[in-house]
Amino acid sequence: MPGPLPRQKSNTWWNQRWAYRIVLLRELSSVAVAAYVVLLLLLLVSQVREGEGAFASHVDVLTSPLLWIVHLVILAFAQLHSSTWFALTPKALPLKLGGRRVPDALITAGAYGAWLAVSAVVLVIVLVVA
């Protein structure tokens, strides 16, 4: 037996392995993306309440140099979160076709393909509407 429970952990357990750091960053990324969504929702609610005049001030807020850095950090967090999730997809959703398991690489490639397709559709919608 390894010893009595509960085992003591150091406060820097996440610093022992690179994989632990990635898990911690992945969890942090969800909090950062959620905070960014709240910011965008607050701006949307403010614009609905104030009308058309608020749009210019919100665009100024979102295009400020500080927010550009925030946009890039959130984009990196979203990329990290998506990539790690897609890497976990074959373990979370093992598929079988014809009694044989679909290779992990094919499931991951399908997830990236779906992401690319949805991104292309959103880009077309944005370009056509704008």
Side-chain angles (χ1 to χ4, degrees):
M1 291 297 276
L5 294 177
R7 293 184 187 99
Q8 298 296 323
K9 281 197 174 197
S10 72
N11 290 334
T12 58
W13 63 267
W14 53 272
N15 231 355
Q16 294 173 357
R17 291 187 180 169
W18 182 248
Y20 295 163
R21 292 180 196 152
I22 295 297
V23 168
L24 197 62
L25 275 175
R26 183 178 193 282
E27 297 305 317
L28 181 63
S29 72
S30 62
V31 173
V33 171
Y36 186 71
V37 168
V38 168
L39 170 70
L40 292 180
L41 285 174
L42 288 174
L43 288 175
L44 180 67
V45 168
S46 172
Q47 183 175 342
V48 168
R49 284 185 180 165
E50 296 176 20
E52 198 64 33
F55 182 73
S57 66
H58 293 158
V59 169
D60 290 341
V61 168
L62 289 174
T63 58
S64 70
L66 178 63
L67 259 297
W68 270 103
I69 295 169
V70 171
H71 293 314
L72 291 175
V73 168
I74 296 298
L75 180 63
F77 272 149
Q79 174 65 43
L80 172 74
H81 198 86
S82 300
S83 298
T84 55
W85 176 251
F86 291 158
L88 292 173
T89 301
K91 292 162 186 61
L93 183 70
L95 294 177
K96 289 187 177 182
L97 291 176
R100 302 179 88 192
R101 186 167 176 190
V102 177
D104 291 354
L106 195 58
I107 296 172
T108 304
Y112 277 109
W115 186 21
L116 184 65
V118 169
S119 296
V121 168
V122 169
L123 182 63
V124 167
I125 290 171
V126 166
L127 292 178
V128 168
V129 170

